[in-house]
Amino acid sequence: MNYATIKYYDIANGPGVRTSIFVSGCRHHCPGCFNEVAWDFGYGQPFDKAVRNEIFASCQPDYIAGISLLGGEPFEPENQRELLPFVRNFRALYPNKAALWKPSTISPCASGAAPTSGFWMYPRALPQRPPSGGRTNRCLLPIACKSRMPMSYKTTNDLMQHLRDNGIAISGETQKQQLVTTGYYHGYKGYRFFKSAGARLPFSSYQELYATIQYDSALKALFYGKMMFIETAVKNIALQGILENAQSESISDVLDRVVCSYNNSPANFTVEQKKRAQQNKLNLQRSIQSSLANAYAKGNPKITHFYNNPTYSGVPLWAFFEIMTMGDFGYLLSCLTFPVRKDISTRIGLDLSNDTSCELLFRYIYALKDLRNAIAHNAVVFDTRFRNFDPTKAMKACLRSAIQLPYVNFKTIGDYVILMSYYLKLLQMPNSEILKFIEEFEHITETYRSEVNPAVASIVIHPDLTKRMEILKNYI
């Protein structure tokens, strides 16, 4: 079997950060296929043992959620023969990480292909824990051995009747138009529950559902500008710290001088820790080169300017920062040597008394990245279902100590307002502007409270939100 490409640290093809493998070969030949070049079974490179081991190694970090198989068509018989043992080995190595197949269609499956193989189809939701050990906050469905399934549809009037049959009062042209513009699938099916599909919100009318959609949209509009400010500011502070510590803008110099590896890892590291540091450096190097290659292939002038100009020897680090995703930024920070992480943490103003390993620098970025991507992709944010990490003790202790909060757990949207406000203050945004941001959040939330029944409000709005916002404002 050949593969067309492999995308490491991918956030576009499944929940969380993943390694995505695009296999070669597909007989469907769908009109308008986005990856027509991969129809050819001979396209790309051999999917050999070295490549498979690279993929396994890339999934070692805790924040990597699993692998995604795309194509081409992974379930072509020729590809199944290679992928089935590969996925079984992956599941043996990482029993708590999911292997996803994002299908172009529902293909006939070879014997043993599903559901016992560990393949899951994305994106459909399971209300219960998947038997393979997948997490309940992943959108997964076991693939059944069947040929193409017939699909039906509902008219807008049919959808309105369906809502009424499920206890949601909806009528009139205004609400009909609201259903059309917000969408039954994006709107009703996306907002009818809190965090997980099994936790239905007790709506009694479409007006309450529509208010929830509007609340979520208002939150994203409020957060967007502040999130862009935080991302840009932290990137620039980190960039300056890296350049000064490396004494160079060359990416290769940066990798050699300020990125942790086997040879420059701390003296107390075990051999296994040294190997892990070296592997992380290699993964980072590969990720950078992959990002540059993709940007060049797309003709991004921020990158082509350097490669197509004979006066430049390569792309400087500051230019790479212009195309780097927030997830890649977090991974870069995690790979830096301890002294460099400490230096950048100090420049930002992070409290290191609860962070002796200087990991807050990248762990907070991962937390903000989840929210940032949800905003950018118009996903649901009001219930924090976008969260793809478990906060460390240091992440919670730092905010508790600095702001004098009774607790922080990142389980409510209020916790993200706290984290964003903390960063805005560290980055020296005027206090009046931060207070305005918090007060607008309170106003949006109280408006929403008045538009839904008390049972819904008590689920969506945490009972001590007002108290914690007052503490936060006092801190600012």
Side-chain angles (χ1 to χ4, degrees), residues 104-117:
S104 57
T105 181
I106 303 298
S107 304
C109 302
S111 176
T116 59
S117 66

Side-chain angles (χ1 to χ4, degrees), residues 4 11 159 163 195 242 262 286 301 312 330 371 448 460 468:
I11 60 171
L159 294 175
L163 290 175
K195 291 184 183 289
I242 292 171
Y262 191 100
R286 179 173 52 204
Y312 292 103
L371 175 58
Y448 173 68
V460 175
R468 292 210 295 159

Side-chain angles (χ1 to χ4, degrees), residues 214-227:
Q214 295 301 102
Y215 175 54
D216 194 70
S217 297
L219 290 176
K220 285 179 280 198
L222 175 65
F223 294 164
Y224 181 80
K226 299 297 185 289
M227 185 62 71

Side-chain angles (χ1 to χ4, degrees), residues 259-280:
V259 171
C260 191
S261 65
Y262 191 100
N263 293 325
N264 69 353
S265 55
N268 62 345
F269 265 29
T270 65
V271 171
E272 284 306 311
Q273 287 175 313
K274 289 175 179 285
K275 288 181 178 179
R276 190 176 306 121
Q278 182 62 42
Q279 186 62 61
N280 288 340

